[in-house]
Structure formats: C-alpha cells, structure tokens
C-alpha cells in the first residue's frame, strides 16, 4: 500500500495540470486546497468531540447525556452537535449597551483564528503529510499561542462588564504564568532533539519516545498546557460560581459559539502537540511499510490525549487563583529550571556514541533523581509549615 | 515582484498602525494598534528570510511587551472616560526627536557597505546559538543580557511595589 | 524558505476567512430584533452600577514583569538549545550560568513575598 495522501494530492495536481493551467498557478491552488484541508481537520474533529465530551461527562456524572435531538434521535444522539451548530448560527446576536464595539467584535474572531493557526505545523504523517515543516516549527506554535491572550483581554475589557474584566485579568495572569514552564520543557526537547522542526523532533524519537527519556518535562508540559487551555483544575476564566461565564459573559449566538469551539480546538491541539513532542508523533509499528499508518497512529495518540484531557477536566475540582499561581511559580518553574540545567549537563556528558536506549536510560534516571529531590524538598517544606501551624494553634489554646 | 508588493503591504500596516497609535483618542485602542504594528514588523522579518526573528517578534513584543503595556494601561485610572486628543504642550519636542532619530538612522544606513545576499552553509539559528556561547563570539554580551534582565526585573519590581 | 512561508501566509488568510465567515454567516441568518432591555449588561439581575473600567491592582503588573523576564530568557535560550549538539561542555555550562542568574531573580522576588497573591 503506497502513501494514500500523497497519491491523492498528486492526482489532484495532475487533474489541475490537465486543465491547461500554468505550473505556478497549479502549485498555488494546491497550497490553497491543502490550507483548507488542514484548517478543517480540527473543525471536523471538534464537531464529534463536543458530542463525545458531553457523553463522557454525562457518564462520569451518572447521567445519560445527549440522546435525542428533537424529532430524530441519531445513534446515541450524535446529531446533537449539528443541531447545536444550527441553533448557534440562527440565534440573535445581542450586543450589550456600552461595549467597545470594535474590540468586542474582533475578539472571538482572533481567538478562533489563533486556535486554527497552530495546526499548520503539526505533522500528520511521514514526509510531506504536514501543512509545512518550518525549521522553527515548535517556536511558531509557542509564538502564536502566546498572542491568543489578546483575544481574552480584548473580550474582557470591551464587554463593559465587571465579571468579564476581572475574568480577563485573572486568566491572562494564569496564561502568562503557565507559559514559562511550558517553554522551559519545550527547550529540553529542542535541546535533546537538536531541532525545532516538528518533523525532526518526530524523527529523533525513532527508537525511544521522549515520554520515556524525559518524563519530567513531559509532565510539566502537560500540566502547563492544560492550564493554558483552561482545563478544569486551572479553570479561572469561567469559574461559574464567582464570575458567571468569565470574559464570555456578554457574548451570545455564534460569537459565544466560537469561544466554545476554540476552547475545544485548543484542547485537541494540546493533544497533538504533546503527541508530537513526547509520544513520537506518527511513529509506530509498521509505519515504514505503510506510511498511511503514520496518520492512523498520530490520530490514535491525539484521541488518547484528548480522552486524558476529558478525564482530568471532568473529574477534578477547580483551584483558587492564589493556589494556581503558587503552584506555578513556586513549584513548576523552579522544577523546570532545575530540570533544564541538570539535563543539559548530563546529556552532554553521555558518550556521543552511546545508543539511543542507553541515552534514554541515563536521562530517565536523571529525571527520576530530580523528581525525588523535588519531592523531598516539598515534603520537608510541608512538614515545616505544619509544625509552625501546630505551634501557633498551641499558643492560641 | 510579489515580495516587493508584500513589503509595501507590511510597511503600510506598520506605518498606518503606528500613526493610529499616536492619534487615537482611546488609550486601550492605541495599545491594540501598537500590537498590529508589531505584527507587521514580524511580516517584514519573514520577507527578510529571518523567520526566527519573526517568531521572536510575535513572542516577545506581542506576547510579553504587549501584555505589559495593556496591564500598564489598565492600571491608569479613568482611561475610558478621558477622550481628549493625546497631545500636550511638548508635542513639538517629541516630533523633533522623531525627525532627528530618522535622520541619524538614514545616515547610519547609508554608511553601511552594500551587502550581497549569499547562501549560508549552516542553519542560521545554529549559527546564532553557537555565536552566543563562543569565546570569540558574544559570550560576554550573552551573560550580561542575563544580568541586565535581572537588574531590570529588580528595578521594575521595586518601583511597582511602591505604588 | 519563502515557499514555506507562502503556505503560512495562505494558511493565515484561509483561517482568517473561516473565522470571519462563521461570524458573517450568523450575521446573515440571525434574527435582528434589538430591544433596550435585551442589551442591558448582566450583573446578577441588578441594574449595572458604576463602570468596569476601574483601576486594577499592581499585582498583575508584577506577574507580567516576571513573565517578561523569563520570556526573554527563553528566547535567548532557544538558539542555544538548537545548537546544543554542536557546542562543547563549557559552552553548555555558560548557558546554565545564564539560567542560574535568572533563577536568582526568581528567588529574590519569591523571598520578597511578591509572588503571594494579595
């Protein structure tokens, strides 16, 4: 079996050349087609993910979830998302009095735009089955996702609503804080892989995936990314009990729908980026024999990560903002810094001729050692705090 | 040809947004226009085949400096009430400084020898990374950058805390 | 290089088009019946009181400052990490020194109690 995706694109290209168009125009049209295809991948995933998420959360909470959509109940209510999409599109869009009109309208477009933009560099298979293999791949993703917080700020600030403004401020504080451990763990991957290109990072995990060699950066990256997409333990922006619906409070109709979709797209994107950086991307058994299997593998890994995200999001309670920020600045950032320093030196000391598995084993041991030291420090600190507290209690008594 | 057109497009974005920054009455809008100007500069970096710097531009200027500016804007009181034109009696001095800066920059750029583009043998980011830590390269400025960042943080935190 | 960015440019335009098209489609399809009561700002069912554009506390600004420093640090470290396999051990230690200097800044801010949420 050949590479089906490459074959299809070659077939379309031949078809276009057959119509008598000149070479540059054909390549331009191919670019536009592939851009549309890649931009629609997350949108299509999300249509089914919304249904899956609602089903999963219902099951975990002992409910049934969507099972009937008006007159026709699809199998397990699978048409629910389409019904919701039509409802969103045909809802009246209420613009509250006194909003700052232009930022108010741009904000949902900006957030949705940035949610889609990162998909350009995610490799869906070996070779050319990718939007574009930039040599700054992962840096491109980090750069664009750091610009997403302006959508939040614009939405919150322009809404003329106190809840929205407070929520925007809080979630920007959260977003910028958790970007640091995320970056520091990406740095470790770039360092070990020796490249920022997504395809090179996947290629470097040919024999050992980085989840085994670098478990600590993987966990830090996952936690930080979950915070970046506002998954539940870090969910500050909505915090229903205190901030109504956060910065989305004053949005209705499709504009609200776009925030909703963007949140899901971002969560899937986290799964895709994590699979590429730490789970070996499209690498898997039999990929060399049938390249199309690579696409199956990456989607299987994305599905796995998305299910993990759902599980965390649905089962964990929300933390307070001071707890969230403390956890970041006093635990994750120092840990990521220490990890980066130690791994950079240890990895340099390993013999360059060492096999991939030896290297991975040494890095794994280093990671475990760092984790143990961090654990001991936290445990000691906690014990000290507790003693202090107990002593204070005795004084009061 | 396309490159020239794109250069003018990005240049127009940068200049237009820059003019909007200083003339718009709402200071929050001014900050947003500034972000658009930053984005246009990133486009110019891409045209110069320096994608790393384009990403750095997005990353540092939009992602970090932009947030700082917007937070600073929101720390000022009553910003949405005042709608007067952002000019005070010192506007001519600022204009003079801008013209002077432009003159100096034009002079310096004209002094530079003409550069003929040539293909690099190495990846440019690798070259940059090696130059950062090479003893004959920029190792001192590299470490000093760290000291500078620390000093800037300490200074800024001290000032911000007194408020 | 520029061919790659042609794709990025096209992709940016396409995604922008999709985002705008979704808002545009709903703008065409939606009913438009404005009413002053509908357009009131939500505030727990009460009449909105005062403006939301009040002065925020400086704490957010301090977090943004600390973030800015670490962000710039990461930008400096990316080329270093990229060239990691090409540089000798002492050069790696120079990078570690760079990180440790910034860790000092973090420790300072921490000890001063500025990371506490007030």
């Amino acid at each position: 079996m050949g590479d089906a995706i490459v074959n299809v694109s070659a077939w379309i290209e031949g078809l276009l050349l057959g119509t008598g168009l000149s070479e540059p125009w054909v390549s331009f049209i191919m670019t536009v087609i592939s851009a549309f295809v890649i931009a629609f991948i997350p949108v299509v995933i999300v249509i089914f993910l919304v249904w899956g998420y609602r089903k999963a959360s219902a099951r975990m909470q002992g409910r049934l979830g969507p099972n009937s959509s008006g007159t026709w109940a699809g199998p397990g209510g699978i048409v629910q998302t389409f019904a919701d999409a039509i409802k969103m599109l045909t809802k009246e869009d209420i613009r509250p009095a006194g909003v700052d009109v232009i930022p108010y309208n741009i904000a949902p477009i900006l957030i949705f735009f940035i949610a889609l933009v990162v998909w350009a560099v995610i490799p869906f298979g070996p070779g050319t089955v990718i939007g574009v293999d930039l040599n700054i791949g992962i840096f491109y993703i980090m750069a664009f996702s750091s610009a997403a917080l302006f959508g939040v700020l614009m939405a919150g600030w322009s809404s003329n609503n106190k809840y929205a403004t407070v929520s925007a401020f809080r979630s920007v504080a959260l977003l910028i804080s958790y970007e640091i451990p995320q970056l520091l763990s990406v740095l470790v991957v770039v360092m070990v892989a020796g490249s920022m290109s997504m395809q090179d990072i996947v290629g470097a995990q040919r024999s050992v995936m980085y989840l085994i060699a670098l478990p600590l950066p993987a966990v830090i990256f996952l936690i930080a990314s979950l915070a970046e997409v506002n998954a539940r333990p870090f969910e500050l922006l909505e915090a229903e009990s205190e901030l109504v619906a956060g910065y989305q409070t004053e949005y209705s109709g499709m504009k609200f729908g776009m925030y909703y979709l963007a949140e899901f797209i971002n969560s899937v994107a986290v799964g895709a980026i994590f699979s590429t950086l730490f789970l070996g991307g499209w690498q898997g058994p039999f990929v060399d024999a049938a390249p199309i299997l690579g696409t199956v593998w990456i989607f299987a890994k994305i599905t796995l990560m998305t299910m993990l995200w759902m599980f965390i999001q649905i089962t964990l309670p929300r933390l307070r903002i001071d707890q969230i920020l403390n956890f970041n600045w006093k635990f994750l950032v120092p840990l990521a810094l220490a990890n980066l320093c130690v791994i950079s030196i240890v990895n340099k000391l390993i013999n360059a001729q060492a096999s991939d598995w030896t290297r991975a084993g040494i890095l794994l041991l280093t990671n475990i050692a760092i984790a143990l030291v961090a654990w001991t420090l936290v445990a000691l600190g906690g014990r000290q705090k507790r003693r202090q507290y107990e002593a204070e209690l005795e004084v009061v008594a | 040809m396309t490159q020239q057109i794109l250069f003018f497009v990005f240049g127009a974005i940068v200049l237009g947004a820059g003019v909007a920054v200083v003339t718009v009455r709402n200071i929050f809008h001014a900050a947003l226009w500034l972000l658009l100007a930053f984005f246009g500069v990133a486009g110019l970096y891409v045209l110069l085949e320096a994608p790393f710097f384009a990403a750095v531009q997005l990353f540092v200027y939009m992602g970090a400096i932009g947030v700082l500016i917007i937070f600073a804007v929101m720390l000022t009181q009553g910003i949405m009430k005042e709608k007067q034109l952002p000019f005070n009696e010192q506007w001519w001095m600022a204009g003079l400084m801008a013209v002077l800066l432009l003159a100096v920059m034009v002079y310096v750029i004209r002094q530079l020898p003409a550069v003929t583009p040539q293909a690099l043998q190495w990846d440019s980011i690798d070259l940059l990374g090696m130059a950062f830590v090479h003893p004959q390269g920029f190792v001192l400025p590299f470490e000093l950058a760290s000291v500078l960042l620390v000093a800037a943080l300490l200074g800024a935190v001290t000032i911000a805390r007194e408020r | 290089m520029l061919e790659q960015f042609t794709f990025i440019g096209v992709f940016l335009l396409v995604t922008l088009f999709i985002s705008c098209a979704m808002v545009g489609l709903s703008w065409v399809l939606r009913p438009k019946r404005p009413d002053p009561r509908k357009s009131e700002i939500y505030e727990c069912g009460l009449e909105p009181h005062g403006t939301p554009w009040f002065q925020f506390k400086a704490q957010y600004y301090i977090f943004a400052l600390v973030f800015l420093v670490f962000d710039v640090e990461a930008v400096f470290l990316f080329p270093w990490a990229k060239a990691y396999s090409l540089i000798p051990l002492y050069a790696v230690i120079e990078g570690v020194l760079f990180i440790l200097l910034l860790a000092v800044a973090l420790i300072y801010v921490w000890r001063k109690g500025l990371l506490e949420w007030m």
Side-chain angles (χ1 to χ4, degrees):
Chain A
M1 194 166 73
D3 193 348
I5 296 164
V6 173
N7 286 346
V8 168
S9 86
W11 174 70
I12 297 172
E13 200 163 354
L15 213 66
L16 284 170
L17 280 172
T19 58
L21 280 167
S22 63
E23 191 79 45
W25 274 108
V26 169
S27 74
F28 182 73
I29 292 172
M30 288 304 292
T31 311
V32 174
I33 291 175
S34 53
F36 264 102
V37 169
I38 288 168
F40 272 111
I41 288 174
V43 177
V44 172
I45 293 177
V46 159
I47 286 175
F48 292 100
L49 179 65
V50 170
W51 172 78
Y53 176 82
R54 293 179 62 182
K55 270 298 201 199
S57 72
R59 285 303 154 122
M60 286 185 207
Q61 295 159 354
R63 297 184 283 122
L64 274 180
N67 59 354
S68 129
S69 308
T71 48
W72 182 63
I78 196 156
V79 289
Q80 183 66 49
T81 315
F82 295 97
D84 282 346
I86 293 166
K87 184 196 80 173
M88 286 280 187
L89 277 173
T90 52
K91 274 234 167 170
E92 182 174 0
D93 179 43
I94 299 164
R95 201 179 68 210
V99 297
D100 197 357
V101 179
I102 296 168
Y104 177 84
N105 285 320
I106 292 176
I109 296 177
L110 183 71
I111 286 186
F112 193 78
F113 167 70
I114 287 172
L116 288 181
V117 156
V118 298
W119 289 81
V121 294
I122 288 171
F124 293 108
T128 53
V129 191
I130 175 175
V132 56
D133 188 23
L134 289 182
N135 66 343
I136 54 162
I138 183 67
F139 200 61
Y140 164 90
I141 292 179
M142 306 307 284
F144 263 106
S145 49
S146 76
L149 44 90
F150 291 108
V152 179
L153 269 179
M154 278 159 75
W157 185 252
S158 63
S159 282
N160 188 20
N161 183 314
K162 292 173 200 86
Y163 297 108
T165 322
V166 172
S167 153
F169 263 77
R170 279 197 189 178
S171 48
V172 167
L174 170 95
L175 288 176
I176 59 175
S177 297
Y178 276 85
E179 209 173 298
I180 302 300
Q182 203 183 16
L183 278 170
L184 292 173
S185 46
V186 166
L187 269 171
V188 177
V189 173
V190 170
M191 197 169 73
V192 178
S195 175
M196 289 194 248
S197 137
M198 295 297 261
Q199 284 289 28
D200 288 355
I201 291 174
V202 172
Q205 301 175 66
R206 194 164 176 73
S207 39
V208 195
M209 60 173 70
Y210 283 156
L211 182 65
I212 296 166
L214 307 164
L216 211 50
V219 171
I220 294 173
F221 181 84
L222 188 64
I223 293 174
S225 307
L226 286 177
E228 292 276 302
V229 298
N230 289 301
R232 188 124 310 133
F234 306 103
E235 189 201 33
L236 279 181
L237 81 161
E238 270 190 45
E240 281 95 347
S241 51
E242 36 191 277
L243 289 175
V244 193
Y247 60 84
Q248 312 163 356
T249 306
E250 292 299 341
Y251 284 88
S252 53
M254 199 55 214
K255 285 184 195 136
F256 170 76
M258 285 173 82
Y259 284 119
Y260 191 73
L261 285 179
E263 200 180 318
F264 274 88
I265 293 175
N266 281 331
S267 310
V268 183
V270 164
I273 297 164
F274 187 86
S275 320
T276 311
L277 292 183
F278 295 104
L279 298 180
W282 45 262
Q283 305 265 19
F286 313 116
V287 163
D288 295 328
I292 189 73
L293 261 182
T295 313
V296 177
W297 285 122
I298 177 89
F299 277 108
K301 286 167 183 172
I302 293 175
T303 314
L304 192 73
M305 292 312 297
T306 311
M307 284 160 93
L308 181 67
W309 163 72
M310 275 190 208
F311 191 70
I312 293 172
Q313 157 100 345
I314 294 165
T315 51
L316 289 184
R318 183 164 47 77
L319 295 172
R320 275 199 329 254
I321 183 165
D322 59 328
Q323 294 166 330
I324 292 174
L325 292 176
N326 272 350
F327 177 64
N328 178 65
W329 289 108
K330 299 184 180 174
F331 182 70
L332 277 189
V333 171
L335 182 62
L337 282 172
N339 191 50
L340 180 61
C341 293
V342 174
I343 288 197
S344 66
I345 292 173
V346 168
N347 192 32
K348 204 75 210 178
L349 290 174
I350 301 172
N351 190 346
Q353 267 80 50
S355 78
D356 282 352
W357 278 102
T358 329
R359 186 175 292 269
I362 297 171
L363 287 180
L364 176 62
L365 288 177
T366 320
N367 266 296
I368 292 172
I370 299 168
L372 282 177
V373 170
W375 181 264
T376 321
L377 285 178
V378 170
L380 284 179
R383 200 169 300 162
Q384 204 182 348
K385 273 258 170 67
R386 200 155 54 233
R387 286 227 185 89
Q388 238 170 23
Y389 183 66
E390 276 164 5
E392 275 170 28
L393 276 187
E394 271 168 30
V395 170
V396 174
Chain B
M1 185 58 202
T2 330
Q3 255 171 283
Q4 262 89 354
I5 294 170
L6 282 175
F7 176 80
F8 282 109
V9 170
F10 283 123
I13 290 176
V14 174
L15 284 180
V19 170
V21 171
V22 289
T23 52
V24 132
R25 285 157 192 252
N26 184 326
I27 188 167
F28 180 64
H29 290 182
L32 295 178
W33 279 112
L34 187 63
L35 294 177
L36 185 64
F38 288 154
F39 186 78
V41 174
L44 290 179
Y45 276 126
V46 169
L47 287 181
L48 288 171
E49 304 204 22
F52 182 71
F53 286 99
V56 168
Q57 174 76 22
L58 279 187
F59 199 71
V60 173
Y61 283 89
M62 280 188 81
I65 308 265
V67 172
L68 207 63
I69 288 174
I70 289 191
F71 274 7
V73 161
M74 292 178 182
L75 280 170
T76 40
Q77 217 154 14
I79 59 162
M80 295 298 269
K81 286 178 219 146
E82 293 158 35
K83 295 257 171 161
Q84 85 272 32
L85 264 177
F87 289 106
N88 59 12
E89 63 276 15
Q90 289 175 350
W91 68 269
W92 59 271
M93 239 195 278
L96 193 69
M97 290 310 289
V99 172
L100 270 177
L101 182 66
L102 181 69
V104 169
M105 276 161 78
V106 168
Y107 175 76
V108 168
I109 288 168
R110 284 180 67 92
Q111 294 293 306
L112 289 176
V115 183
T116 44
Q118 55 192 49
L120 286 171
Q121 260 129 27
W122 292 72
D123 187 295
S124 58
I125 306 166
D126 276 344
L127 277 181
L128 185 65
M130 285 193 289
F132 272 164
V133 286
H134 197 271
Q136 267 92 53
F138 300 99
V139 61
L140 196 63
F142 180 64
E143 299 294 338
L144 277 180
S146 178
V147 177
L148 182 71
L149 282 174
V150 174
L153 178 67
L154 302 192
V157 158
T158 314
I159 293 170
R161 216 168 128 223
E162 278 166 6
R163 254 189 237 162
Chain C
M1 181 75 76
L2 281 178
E3 301 86 73
Q4 290 188 331
F5 277 89
T6 315
F7 179 85
I8 293 291
V10 170
F11 191 76
L12 292 186
L13 288 179
V14 164
T15 45
L16 195 61
F17 168 75
I18 293 174
S19 318
C20 293
M22 284 171 74
V23 169
L25 192 63
S26 85
W27 189 78
V28 172
L29 291 176
R30 72 183 187 193
K32 300 173 189 79
R33 280 186 283 278
D35 183 311
R37 279 192 203 155
K38 265 188 210 166
S39 64
E40 267 176 19
I41 292 291
Y42 178 79
E43 200 167 299
C44 291
L46 299 171
E47 299 243 331
H49 177 78
T51 163
W53 293 306
F54 48 84
Q55 187 181 7
F56 271 81
K57 58 179 180 180
Q59 177 104 48
Y60 289 105
Y61 192 71
I62 288 173
F63 275 104
L65 278 172
V66 181
F67 161 72
L68 174 68
V69 165
F70 277 90
D71 209 42
V72 175
E73 176 210 5
V75 165
F76 271 107
L77 286 176
F78 262 98
W80 170 77
K82 171 79 165 58
Y84 177 77
S85 54
L86 308 167
I87 55 179
L89 183 63
Y90 72 85
V92 172
I93 292 173
E94 283 166 20
V96 172
L97 204 66
F98 183 88
I99 300 167
L100 289 180
L101 274 170
L102 281 162
V104 170
L106 182 67
I107 292 169
Y108 172 83
V109 179
W110 188 345
R111 300 295 292 176
K112 283 277 170 185
L114 290 167
L115 295 178
E116 306 297 331
W117 190 255
M118 288 168 289

